[in-house]
Amino acid sequence: MLQTPNLRYVSRKLWLSKTFHSKRSTAQRQVRSQFKWRNVSYVRLGSLLAGACAVGYDGVVNDFTYCGSFVRFGRSLKTATLIAVDYLGLNEIDPDYEQKRKLVHQISANRLLETCLLNGGLYIKVGQGFAAVNHILPIEYTETLAKLQDKCLPTSKEDIQKVFRKDFGKLPEKIYKEFDYTPVAAASLAQVFKARLHNGEQVAVKVQYSDLQKRFISDLATIIFLQDLIELIFKDYNFGWILNDLRKNLVQELNFEQEGKNAERCARDLRKLSYVHVPKVYWGFTKRRVLTLEWIDGVKISDLASIKKLGLSLKDVDQKLFTMCAEQIFKSGFVHADPHPGNIFVRKNKRNGKADIVILDHGLYEEMPRSVRVALSQFWVATVQRDEMGMKAAARRMNVVDYMKFASVLFQQPVTIEGPRIRSKLTQEDVDHIQKVAKEQFEIIMSTLREMPRCLLFVTRNLNTVRAISNKHGDVVDRPCLMARCAQRSIYDHSSRSPLEYFKWLTRRVYFEYCLWISAFKLRWMDWYLNFLYLVGRAPEGARTLIKDAMDQEKHVLR
């Protein structure tokens, strides 16, 4: 007979079992939780110890190079983010849009300047490059970033000694008779010091920043990353590819032994120009990160007060500067890619009392193939003459399709066949118009830059920088025409120099001068005609002012 279970007994047993298991599972969960948090604490502690070890190792072995890269990356990302937020906050339908945009330009330029100075090295070099394109970028950027040509952060005495110990195995005091640790100049990649050799000669010693070569690759990667990031946010921005293409040239600038070779080649190429001087290289005191050069006293080509104090003519200075640049671009093809005012000095020649041009900092050069030099010379002359067929043919040899836009990029002003003659002196209205056109036709201009030979990127930078110097001097010389004459001579130099080639060149030269004379004569005749109309009270208002400006420009051509 089956027994009926005691329900009260069974339910009590189940309750006791549940209570026991519940307490047991609670205890297990508490143990697991304590173990889990203990593991998390161990992981955190381990991470901190690993991080401290990594930082310590980087400090001992690499002088905190990689830690510094993270700091510079964070600083650059912060600056880029703040600038992007400020521009995204602008509204074009705001009645005060232009005023607010100018304010944002200035605030952003100040942030960029501060970031470049704090980061140093390549950041300063890139900032100097932006300052050179003052016909495209807003004036707030170019004027602010131009301070990077003179204002760089010097390093410590220990940093200098570290470079000499590694490269020479001894301190500067053991190498030179005298060495002044106070820098006379601080550039983007190095500092310059005054020293004296044991034979009594005074020299300039260029010493690279000790950590520059280690941090160069990471800094370049950071800048390229930020460029790509900006392109994602602002679709109209499209400069990143230029930095990618110029990476090889920038890396070469770190080798001071190569810079010494560049200086000697530059001196050989320009030896026919007696007024151009390149400092002598002292190879016995030169290594990869230390360059010892002849000491030269002079003034910056942008220092107008000092140039006038020396009794030198700005017209003479500019003629010699433009001739020197044209000789490199059209004839030798070995082009100084960074002729900003900090790298071009002027001194008074002791024999004739006129200006000498001194070229400094030969780290960044571009070499142009002969085919490109000849085609560019032909294109320059054809553009000045308004020879559309000649422009088109020369551009085709350089694989450039839109030859009119290429001319505008090359001469930094809108170029048309039927329009006014290419001018050297631009008014503020002209500059505003150029910036407006550059903004409206940005994609076309960028496509033109992409299709032209890559070696012309640095040539364009050279022309931009020299144009800025000319503008600061008051555009007292017609640069396009002077360089066109140099380009014509180069065309003959690149030819076989046979009697037939000489006759062809002479014919083209006579025709070129004839075109300039006719242009000047037309304007002079128009001036006479307007004077007559003024005498009889029939002249249109404002016409004489326009003609006077054009006549002033023609005087530069005929001189």
Side-chain angles (χ1 to χ4, degrees), residues 384-426:
V384 172
Q385 288 182 323
R386 286 296 195 278
D387 177 8
E388 186 172 10
M389 294 302 295
M391 291 172 63
K392 189 174 182 179
R396 192 185 303 116
R397 297 188 190 99
M398 293 182 284
N399 298 319
V400 174
V401 178
D402 194 339
Y403 55 93
M404 296 305 296
K405 279 292 176 288
F406 178 60
S408 298
V409 169
L410 206 59
F411 288 89
Q412 299 100 44
Q413 58 186 282
V415 176
T416 57
I417 297 300
E418 303 298 332
R421 191 183 58 78
I422 294 175
R423 294 176 295 167
S424 177
K425 189 171 185 177
L426 301 178

Side-chain angles (χ1 to χ4, degrees), residues 160-170 172 175-176 207:
I160 304 303
Q161 291 178 337
K162 189 184 301 179
V163 174
F164 274 89
R165 281 197 190 98
K166 189 163 186 179
D167 287 23
F168 287 94
K170 45 185 156 181
I175 300 173
Y176 306 95
V207 184

Side-chain angles (χ1 to χ4, degrees), residues 6-19:
N6 190 335
L7 295 178
R8 183 179 297 176
Y9 171 76
V10 171
S11 62
R12 180 174 178 81
K13 190 173 182 180
L14 289 173
W15 177 82
L16 288 173
S17 176
K18 287 181 180 180
T19 304

Side-chain angles (χ1 to χ4, degrees), residues 539-559:
E541 186 177 355
R544 192 172 185 181
T545 302
L546 296 175
I547 295 295
K548 183 179 181 301
D549 292 341
M551 289 295 298
D552 290 340
Q553 188 70 20
E554 289 301 326
K555 289 178 183 177
H556 297 321
V557 178
L558 296 175
R559 287 173 181 172

Side-chain angles (χ1 to χ4, degrees), residues 147-305:
K147 298 174 184 176
L148 293 173
Q149 295 173 358
D150 308 305
K151 189 177 179 182
C152 299
L153 298 178
T155 57
S156 64
K157 177 180 178 180
E158 291 73 20
D159 190 64
I160 304 303
Q161 291 178 337
K162 189 184 301 179
V163 174
F164 274 89
R165 281 197 190 98
K166 189 163 186 179
D167 287 23
F168 287 94
K170 45 185 156 181
L171 296 177
E173 297 88 337
K174 303 295 183 180
I175 300 173
Y176 306 95
K177 183 179 180 180
E178 298 174 8
F179 188 89
D180 187 354
Y181 279 99
T182 304
V184 295
S188 57
L189 307 180
Q191 297 177 96
V192 180
F193 302 88
K194 185 182 287 189
R196 191 178 298 277
L197 302 179
H198 289 283
N199 63 4
E201 290 186 65
Q202 199 171 51
V203 294
V205 184
K206 184 177 179 180
V207 184
Q208 194 175 116
Y209 297 117
S210 62
D211 64 339
L212 186 63
Q213 299 206 14
K214 291 182 179 179
R215 57 181 276 191
F216 189 85
I217 301 300
S218 60
D219 285 352
L220 183 61
T222 297
I223 293 173
I224 292 175
F225 168 76
L226 292 176
Q227 297 255 20
D228 294 341
L229 188 63
I230 293 171
E231 286 184 20
L232 289 175
I233 301 174
F234 300 98
K235 301 301 181 183
D236 292 336
Y237 183 90
N238 191 13
F239 287 101
W241 64 273
I242 297 179
L243 193 59
N244 276 304
D245 284 348
L246 303 182
R247 184 184 310 187
K248 181 180 177 181
N249 300 73
L250 293 172
V251 171
Q252 289 179 354
E253 197 174 2
L254 298 178
N255 186 351
F256 285 178
E257 291 175 326
Q258 182 61 47
E259 179 175 343
K261 294 176 183 177
N262 291 345
E264 292 186 336
R265 179 175 173 182
C266 174
R268 289 194 303 270
D269 290 344
L270 301 176
R271 61 184 178 276
K272 291 183 179 179
L273 303 180
S274 59
Y275 49 81
V276 175
H277 189 78
V278 177
K280 174 186 174 183
V281 181
Y282 292 88
W283 288 106
F285 302 88
T286 295
K287 295 288 185 181
R288 187 177 179 84
R289 296 189 297 170
V290 178
L291 179 63
T292 303
L293 300 165
E294 169 192 5
W295 179 270
I296 295 179
D297 289 309
V299 299
K300 289 183 179 180
I301 199 168
S302 59
D303 190 350
L304 303 185

